Amino acid sequence: MEMKKRINLELRNRAPEKVTELVLDNCRSSNGEIEGLNDSFKKLKFLSMANVELTSLAKLPTLSKLRKLELSDNAISGGLEVLAERCPNLTYLNLSGNKIKDLGTVEALQNLKNLKSLDLFNCEITNLEDYRDSIFELLQQITYLDGFDQEDNEAPDSEDDDDEEGDEDDNDEDEAGPPGEYEEEDDEDDGDSDLGDGEEEEEVGLSYLIKEEIQDEDDDDDYVEEGGDEEEGAEGIRGEKRKRDPEDEGEEEDD
């Protein structure tokens, strides 16, 4: 009773419209329902109610966003058609340890079109001859039964998948490295890829460019001054030539 009161208090204190995962394992249901669990959990995607003494799903609330439902170790023996009506988007359903005995009970799950994984482990139905083949034939939408596909390949663990995704994110961060190192590596790679046959490429920094620009300006000034001296010298020579030309012409005429 203490467990039941604690969980019901927790449900009342939470904003149900924001909850996406809810674990109510080992609490005690009353007349087939858990106080506080209702239709207001509109974003709920994962619900676990293992060992809560459920005998029926008749009072299960409508949870249209629900993807995974854990109902293991209860006393459910039928009425599974309720799941398709109130949780139509289920992809994973665990009914292990319940009182499901025949294929007719499981047939109601045909309307769960998105169901991919079903667990009936430790139910009486598993004692039927050709149990696995019969379930796969009856529920052709599922891929995994009791954790294995038709070829006895084990279903991936959702927790392992989450860890792998986390590792990939970490690897991406490691590969990125500090911005400075990453940029230097890119520069080196770009340099190698852009070089062609007989071509050379030099990497220059900002300080080098500024220094070169200053030197270029000094060289330009020197060039202009030198050019001016040469022009003055040339004009002087041309002036002398112009002064001497008449005399030279006169001398040539006298001759």
Side-chain angles (χ1 to χ4, degrees):
M1 292 297 294
E2 292 180 0
M3 179 67 72
K4 175 185 174 182
K5 291 180 180 178
R6 184 181 67 80
I7 293 179
N8 287 342
L9 180 62
E10 180 183 353
L11 286 173
R12 287 196 297 268
N13 291 337
R14 300 178 70 176
E17 67 278 2
K18 296 181 179 180
V19 176
T20 59
E21 296 185 4
L22 190 59
V23 177
L24 303 176
D25 297 351
N26 302 315
C27 72
R28 294 295 175 261
S29 62
S30 176
N31 296 324
E33 66 178 346
I34 296 177
E35 183 182 351
L37 181 62
N38 51 50
D39 297 350
S40 59
F41 290 83
K42 297 183 181 300
K43 293 186 178 180
L44 196 62
K45 295 182 179 180
F46 174 83
L47 173 61
S48 183
M49 295 191 296
N51 190 29
V52 297
E53 298 183 351
L54 278 178
T55 58
S56 170
L57 297 175
K59 295 185 179 181
L60 183 71
T62 298
L63 304 169
S64 59
K65 298 288 186 180
L66 197 65
R67 297 291 185 272
K68 294 185 177 183
L69 179 58
E70 291 271 359
L71 294 172
S72 59
D73 300 323
N74 284 289
I76 300 169
S77 59
L80 300 183
E81 62 275 357
V82 172
L83 293 173
E85 297 172 3
R86 302 178 189 178
C87 308
N89 292 308
L90 280 181
T91 61
Y92 172 89
L93 176 61
N94 188 347
L95 290 168
S96 62
N98 280 274
K99 296 183 177 181
I100 298 172
K101 301 178 180 181
D102 53 62
L103 294 174
T105 303
V106 178
E107 187 176 2
L109 299 178
Q110 288 179 333
N111 293 325
L112 287 173
K113 302 301 182 182
N114 296 319
L115 189 64
K116 299 300 180 186
S117 181
L118 174 64
D119 197 335
L120 296 172
F121 180 75
N122 206 24
C123 292
E124 288 187 43
I125 192 174
T126 60
N127 296 324
L128 296 177
E129 187 177 356
D130 298 328
Y131 152 72
R132 287 182 58 82
D133 292 338
S134 299
I135 294 294
F136 277 117
E137 184 178 354
L138 183 65
L139 304 176
Q140 297 186 7
Q141 77 272 34
I142 70 171
T143 303
Y144 299 102
L145 176 61
D146 302 335
F148 294 87
D149 64 12
Q150 286 181 278
E151 298 178 354
D152 291 331
N153 296 313
E154 188 173 3
D157 191 340
S158 59
E159 293 181 358
D160 292 342
D161 293 342
D162 293 340
D163 292 340
E164 289 178 2
E165 291 178 1
D167 293 341
E168 290 178 0
D169 294 339
D170 295 339
N171 291 337
D172 292 341
E173 293 178 358
D174 293 339
E175 291 175 1
E181 295 179 3
Y182 183 75
E183 291 175 359
E184 290 178 2
E185 291 176 358
D186 285 347
D187 291 339
E188 292 177 1
D189 294 340
D190 293 340
D192 294 339
S193 60
D194 293 337
L195 288 178
D197 296 337
E199 294 181 353
E200 295 181 356
E201 182 175 341
E202 295 181 357
E203 294 184 3
V204 294
L206 180 60
S207 59
Y208 179 84
L209 291 174
I210 294 174
K211 180 179 179 182
E212 286 294 309
E213 185 176 355
I214 294 173
Q215 291 179 354
D216 290 344
E217 290 178 357
D218 294 341
D219 293 343
D220 291 343
D221 294 341
D222 294 341
Y223 177 78
V224 172
E225 292 177 359
E226 291 177 358
D229 294 341
E230 290 177 358
E231 289 180 357
E232 290 178 1
E235 288 179 357
I237 295 172
R238 286 197 297 271
E240 292 178 0
K241 286 184 178 181
R242 283 197 298 272
K243 290 179 182 179
R244 289 199 299 268
D245 285 344
E247 295 178 358
D248 294 340
E249 289 176 358
E251 290 177 0
E252 289 176 0
E253 288 178 357
D254 293 339
D255 293 341

